[in-house]
Amino acid sequence: ALRSRFAMRPLAVIAAGAEIDPESETGAGLQAMPGARVMLGTRIGDYCLLNTACTVDHECSLGAGVHVMGAAAIAGRVRIGDHATIGTNATILPDLTIGAGAQIGAGAVVTRDVPADTVVSGVPARPRRVAPPAVDLSILEALPPLRA
């Protein structure tokens, strides 16, 4: 019998119309809005937000606190670090790495790896500036993990 790894985690909100492949893994506090799609073998960290009509393709890995805005498309085997933001209608091509805290501008097409804390935009996406976090996120590391 086929056994699914997908299980509702604490504080998760999966809206009607969102699709999460049963072979994907999700963390606590996931919010998946209507039309959000997560494909086979993807791992999503704690407290991620997948906004309306975004797609996270097969075998991707999203760190904790990643925000994927509406209609963004993340191709297969992409790795996204903690607290990164993917803008509305952005496209990330396969096999890339987006560093922790990176910000991908709306409508950008990412064709190369993006370093941590870097803002990129354009078609193709180009680095615009380095933007370290405005707040110290290390306090989150001290919180106890939620258990399913």
Side-chain angles (χ1 to χ4, degrees), residues 25-62:
E25 296 178 27
T26 61
L30 169 67
Q31 294 182 43
M33 299 299 119
R37 299 178 68 208
V38 175
M39 304 304 189
L40 178 70
T42 290
R43 292 176 179 223
I44 299 175
D46 293 341
Y47 305 107
C48 289
L49 172 58
L50 305 178
N51 224 316
T52 305
C54 72
T55 300
V56 181
D57 215 338
H58 61 92
E59 302 165 296
C60 290
S61 175
L62 279 64

Side-chain angles (χ1 to χ4, degrees), residues 3-7 9 22-26 40-43:
R3 188 164 179 218
S4 172
R5 290 186 291 185
F6 177 75
R9 303 286 184 217
E23 291 302 309
S24 292
E25 296 178 27
T26 61
L40 178 70
T42 290
R43 292 176 179 223

Side-chain angles (χ1 to χ4, degrees), residues 46-47 63-67 81-85 99-103 116-118 131-144:
D46 293 341
Y47 305 107
V66 171
H67 181 182
D82 294 348
H83 308 289
T85 300
Q103 300 174 35
D117 299 322
T118 301
V135 295
D136 181 7
L137 298 174
S138 64
I139 190 170
L140 298 176
E141 295 169 8
L143 296 174

Side-chain angles (χ1 to χ4, degrees), residues 48-127:
C48 289
L49 172 58
L50 305 178
N51 224 316
T52 305
C54 72
T55 300
V56 181
D57 215 338
H58 61 92
E59 302 165 296
C60 290
S61 175
L62 279 64
V66 171
H67 181 182
V68 181
M69 294 186 189
I74 300 170
R77 298 171 305 280
V78 169
R79 293 166 307 284
I80 301 177
D82 294 348
H83 308 289
T85 300
I86 313 303
T88 301
N89 227 19
T91 300
I92 301 175
L93 297 183
D95 301 307
L96 297 178
T97 298
I98 308 301
Q103 300 174 35
I104 310 302
V109 176
V110 180
T111 60
R112 297 179 182 176
D113 291 347
V114 176
D117 299 322
T118 301
V119 178
V120 300
S121 64
V123 179
R126 300 265 188 247

